[in-house]
Amino acid sequence: MNRLAPLYGLSPTTLHLVFAIGAMTALLGAGMMLTQNDIKKTLGYSTIGQMGYMIMECGLGAFALAVFHLIAHGLFKATIFLNCGHVIHAARQEPRLPPKDETVEQTDFSLLTWLTGFITTLILPLIILLAAHGVLSLPLRNSQGVVIFLFFSWVTSSQAILTLYRLRAVASRKVAALMLLTLLLVVSTYLLAVQAFTYFLYPAPGEVAAYFQAAALPRWLFDVMVGATALAVILGWVFIYAKGHGRSLRMPDWVNGVQTRFYLFFMNRLYVDALALRLGRGFTRVAHRLDTSRLFPYVAGLIALGLVLPAAVWTGELSAANITLFFVAALMIPLFPLHGVYVAALTRLPGYLPMCLAILLPTVGLYGLMGLLPEMPAEFLKGVSVLALFGALYGSLKALVQFRVTRLLAYASLAFFSILWWYLAVTGTSTPQAAVYTSAVALVIGGLFLAWHRVQVRYGDLDLNQIGGLARPMPRFAILLSLLVMAAVGLPPFGLFSGYMAILLHPSIVISWDLMVILLTWLAASWYLFRLMQRLLFGPHRSDIRYEDLRPTEVAPLLIVLLILLALGITPYGFFESDALTNSYRTAMELMLWNK
Amino acid sequence: MEQVETAPYSETRRMQLRGLILLSSEIISQYWPMRTFVHHNPLHGLEDLHFEDAVRRGHQLLGGKGYLSNELFRGYVRSGRIRPHHIDAALKTLVHDKHVALGAREISHFEVLRAHLLQGITAPAEETLDAQINRRPDRTLIKTLADHLTPALNPPAIRENLEAGVHEERTALGRRSTLAAWCDYTLGSQIMDQINGESIKWCEAFLDEGHATWPMPGRENGFYGAWKFLAEQEWSPCGIADSRQKIAGLPTSPEDALLEHLAALGIPSEVWQDYLSLHLAALPGWAGFIKWRADQSDYEWQQVYPVDLVQYLAVRVWYERELVQKVCREALGIDGNFGAISADMQRRGSPKGRPSAHSAREGEAHPALPDEGATRAPLNRYAAQFGPRRDHTTQLAAAWRLRTLANALEIAPDVLMETAPQELRVLLEWIDAFSESDHGPVWLKAFEAGYQEQLIGKLRPNLSNLQAAVKDGQRVVRPQAQAIFCIDVRSESFRRHLEAVGDYDTFGFAGFFTVFIRYRALGSHHDTDQFPVIMKAKNAVREVPRTYHGQLLSRHQAGTKLLHAGHELLHDLKENVVTPYVAVESLGWFYSLPLIGKTVFPDWYRKWTVRLRRIFVPPVATSLTVDKLSRDEVEEMLAAEQRATIRRALQERFGDRDLNLSLERLEALRRRALDEQSADQQSPQAPSRSYALSAGEEAAFVEELRRHYRINQGWAFTRMERITQTGFTLSEQAFTVETALRMMGLTRNFARLVLFCGHGSSSDNNPFEAALDCGACGGNVGKPNARVLAAMANKPRVREQLANKGLSIPQDTYFIAGQHDTTTDEVQLFDLEDLPATHLKDLLRLSRDLEEAGLHNSQERCSRFPEIKTTLTPSRAARETRRRSGDWSQVRPEWGLSGNAAFIIGRRDLTRGVHLEGRVFLHSYDHGEDPTGRLLEIVMTGPQVVGQWINMEHYFSTVDNEVYGSGSKIYHNVVGRVGIVSGPQSDLRTGLAWQTVMDGPRPYHEPMRLLTLIEAPRERISQVIRRHHVLQHFYDNEWVRLAALDPEEKIFYRYIPKQGWTPFKNGSPSLETKMFLKEEHSL
């Protein structure tokens, strides 16, 4: 966000949105942090809150401050996180006791003590802060942001004094004065550091101020916010201060009720986990139901037919030879609803054949298509693209519910190649990008088939739920498989990633719902492929199977596949292309690749 | 929706239910909070069963393995750790005198079992069989052999198999699987996960002891009440419809609720106990902690927020009831109760879910949940595989096994083809009858026998020393000094090294030295229980500063207060909604100091923080309140203190006036403040001088004294109580010292210096740090106990009393206290201020020798750390151990008690000079001092029990670290300041960590049952056993192996369960075999 600060600075609305999101995250994160009962969740949610605060700072235009916070927080949280085991030591040194209901009835209400308390804990820090700000020449002076930061610092220092008061550590006035002085010192060094840091990051004069200007909220909203928060702080102070003095304020029942609700809300972590889990379960259940129902493939086929029927009219413009060629290609590069042959070839054939076919068929198919594409009528291609999108969804859905590894991989490649079809249909040409993508997918699928074949040879044709926990007995296999899966879900630096990038960044691709489907397919692929890996490598271990790791001769071909994928991924695009593309596009591509 | 039954249950039924839950909770053992890590036997509740039965039961309910894997044992055979003749001996109990003729050779039953044990003659899993056979070079042979076997093998028909499956599943329902587990298994639901998730959530929140800043509201209503209160307002995270109304309609008493749930689930009352056991065993950690909490009626958290297993189950079973109902309705269209499910099974006539749920893979009590939807397809395929394919597989598996057997026995494969199939079938039956899951007990016996033989062999040469000592009666030469260490296995090596560097006598004694105290350290606000958890406290002892530290003390106190304030401040700023952000922004950079310091320059950083701390909080010398004050003394003390307070208060309040601060005046005020009723009458009687205070002012002042300065009756009473509980009376002191000295056999020939040495540990960032401290002191350091005992034993009046009882301690004997840091091997000595000047030289010599012994001990210990490959010099070893103790990334600061294997009760002469590798608890005991056997009884029922707990904790943590241990430290996450869980949410992990007992994939701790060796007349030991059930359980159920050394005959005997004694023979393996044969008859 910091690198894009100039961009954000141009859009106040975006900044306001960022501010709102950040502030919400900070508050919710802190709320959830307070209700967690174990150290790591506490720290996790506290980190969420801190991240929210940084985003909020960005939303206020204080980009430099966010970076400052990032570093400080990194050091702080890393130390605490690494020292997690210390909690038991602390608990041994000072076990906590349950909070007692100390109802020490203190009848004397002296306005004076309250006033002194009010002044020392609320007003004085405010004055100090204002004074410190006045001394400095930060660009954030005279902006709204300063008020927000002042607010946070004010509450923090008040809380600090309140704590010291509660502990009766500030016994004498001298000590109290000393504390305030220290506070002044801390605040000014802190502000100085921030100032120095800001100038260090944004040396250009006026730049920072411009961000603050851009981030300014509407006047009335800002005033309301300031008023409301100040009121809340003062009320909260009264409550805490009274409690510290052994006086329990009677809370109306509805307040307690709201408090309990909030507690539940935060303890259940906003119900997000439960919701995600239920959604996931519901979705898989639906997917399974669809998969097992006999009607589904026919219905899907009919829908697809309905979708492409208008396009089919245009096949008349093609010669019979071209149509045949197209159909053959669609069999080799699986295109819904003609994928059956491809899937059958990969799942039914014995030995190394599926692996070889997984690599050979698509590449040959693409070669055949290359000449054909320019001759296709645009309307026909449109139909094909719709079909491809449908096929991508269909393939993902099927892959999601498979427990036979070969079928899972076959349907996964259907989804992958549907993306290719869509790309070919949309661009209407076969570019080097398509070739890179095709070979990457073919290699990935072939590699996975090969890896699975080695397992099959050892343990027979097992389902996913019959074998698992291979990470420990078969470490070499585990590493290779996980690398292959990484490649398959499209992570850099493997070829599939650059293939995706090349396809998605092609100049003729415009933002549309199609992209949504492509992204969904990609996400689904990472879902089922990661599940495949997780089950195979870390699933329940069976003690009645004799495990045996890969031998070097088995490792070699897999390694070669991975190396080629790597090479595909890191080769600059210029290497593949003729001169079809413009120079500027090429630079954009390379930049994109190397910056990832 | 069914109408909720509102009729309350009778009190008798509730009582019955509570009793039932008590019984069903036997399977889980209590778990102490981690602050005082108590080593415990995870199967403690089952000790009235035989060890092997208990292991089986644990396996059934908790899913834990009870023995190391056969592969590991076979590795021990290969490495020579297990000797062949021990295997033979251990197998003898199972062998029948039968033979099968294979060609020219007669194969005995024994040979087959032995080959099976050593080679594991088991065919690969059914699904993998074909693939595995195809990879073998002799596949054709196996296939022909399979055909050859066909006539002899007739597997049961499919129909029978199915019916048996259904029958088994029906009987298992309720007894071995809950309805929820059944649903998960057969319908692919995830109810158990959901129930566990919710149970953990509520347990974490309720049992939290001050971690969460915003604690669970309503906890004072108890676990069930708090859950009801909150869950009534919750959106059910597991999707139970109308959960809020349903919960609101539940009865308020947890017993009634549980009874209602059980009735709704339709569980027959005869299986309730098993059923509830299953529920408790689902989360043994949390349930174990609740079980502990429920027993601690004087535990602060329990008093305020009560919880017990009834409440826990009432919550848990509610979720099951609703979820099972929901899933059964959705998936099967039947009600989710026992009767309906059982009837449904009967109607379908085939076991659902994975084939033969309980028969094929009995190894899985908690089967991995199949993927959703993945359940149906395997069933179909399984059905298809039934029939010819299945028969074929059976034959192939049989052939595979025979081929392996032939290999193991070095029989040519053709011989198999020539033998009649029926004969071969006998071989297969023998193998089947001794399945791989039955190998564990045999291995364990062989493993233990090897260690026992080795130990006894090591001790034998010392038997002659024993004779000399007995004859002499009293040694003339006084040793340089005597040192008493804890029985802990870590003391063994230290004692050995100390004895090697000088003329020292050492003793082993439970590290709390029979000093039962609740101890409060200086500046601390809480007590620690310094005694084994199986006992109760008698006296309180506080650490107080020594008198001569005026200035330093106030600096110390101010420093402590400042540090405390700093910590609190940081905590308050971190745990808030608004403040953490600015606090982090302004303070975060300072954290780079510890982060970089601890990681890059750990030694340097530690040194400087200690130095800084010393500047801020200068250490002060302290002493302990050993003596008890009489009531009058206490009253006088309190009065003086209160008068001083009043004087100060007067000056603070009315400092500017002319005050009368006379003693009488203060006393009058004090009495008035204390005597709250007669306050009004007292004031006129006060002396008649004017005090510059009006009557009204004075009344207000008195009120303030009561309220603010705590000068009131209640407070005075509390203080009185506390002070009078502090310390020991003279006779108590004499009794404590006498018991301790007599029990350890130190009754004559006292040296000039006698050191009582407790122990503690120092490690950083280690949640298990208490596990490294002294188990005898309830997981605390042993320093206070040693100091108290030394102080008592030095008192002339105590010694006078002891002399009257025939225990005379020479004038020039002086006792000092020390503490051995088991991580760094440094020994710290205490209360040296009181040492007479005459003993200075002795002390110097002692501390020098202790240091040297420490260096050597570090060297020995370093050789056991896996990452140290070379032998270190003593000084480098010492640097290494110091570094480990302060390293925040060290998962293994020391090996702790790992490796423990034996418990020797006897004189040091028996073990002196023998290298026992830090694996033996040594308790000094002189049978000559104990004609009645009273002291032996204490040793056997006290320290030995603790030893068994420690041993069993290590045993089970090693054999199944996932179930009984606590898994890898890498994932540990401290929860609620009481324990650890793995990852973000899991059961409370109660055992030892992987890194504590394992060295990589291999066990470092050799899991074997404790061998107790007692040097005492056998009859005396038997008498003690007869008096105590716990000991009978130990020895007769084989939780502990018992051996005795007869002091007269100088012969080692072993105890045969329920039978008696039989001598250990030394010498050839054949004799040994005979010995085991005797054991066979006894079983």
Side-chain angles (χ1 to χ4, degrees), chain A residues 481-504:
Chain A
L481 182 78
S482 36
L483 284 176
L484 271 173
V485 168
M486 296 285 168
V489 300
L491 288 182
F494 294 106
L496 197 53
F497 172 72
S498 52
Y500 271 125
M501 283 300 131
I503 284 186
L504 294 179

Side-chain angles (χ1 to χ4, degrees), chain A residues 26 37-42 57 69 82 85 92-94 96 163 190 268 281 288 403 460 463 542 546, chain B residues 35 122 127 131 190 201 210-211 234 372 377 381 526 572 581 585 765 773 779 972-973 976-977 984:
Chain A
N37 306 99
D38 61 78
I39 181 72
K40 288 192 180 163
K41 277 211 284 289
T42 304
E57 286 180 322
H69 193 115
L82 290 174
R92 287 185 87 196
Q93 296 301 308
E94 254 175 77
R96 302 219 171 112
T163 299
Y190 160 55
N268 284 308
R281 266 182 206 158
H288 276 296
F403 52 89
D463 291 344
R542 275 178 70 170
R546 280 161 211 203
Chain B
R35 292 190 297 271
T122 311
E127 308 93 298
Q190 294 177 353
K201 182 178 94 184
H211 177 88
E234 189 190 40
E372 303 132 284
R381 294 199 311 123
H526 71 280
D572 278 14
Y581 307 114
E585 217 161 84
N765 199 16
D773 284 344
H972 283 173
N973 177 7
R977 291 166 75 94

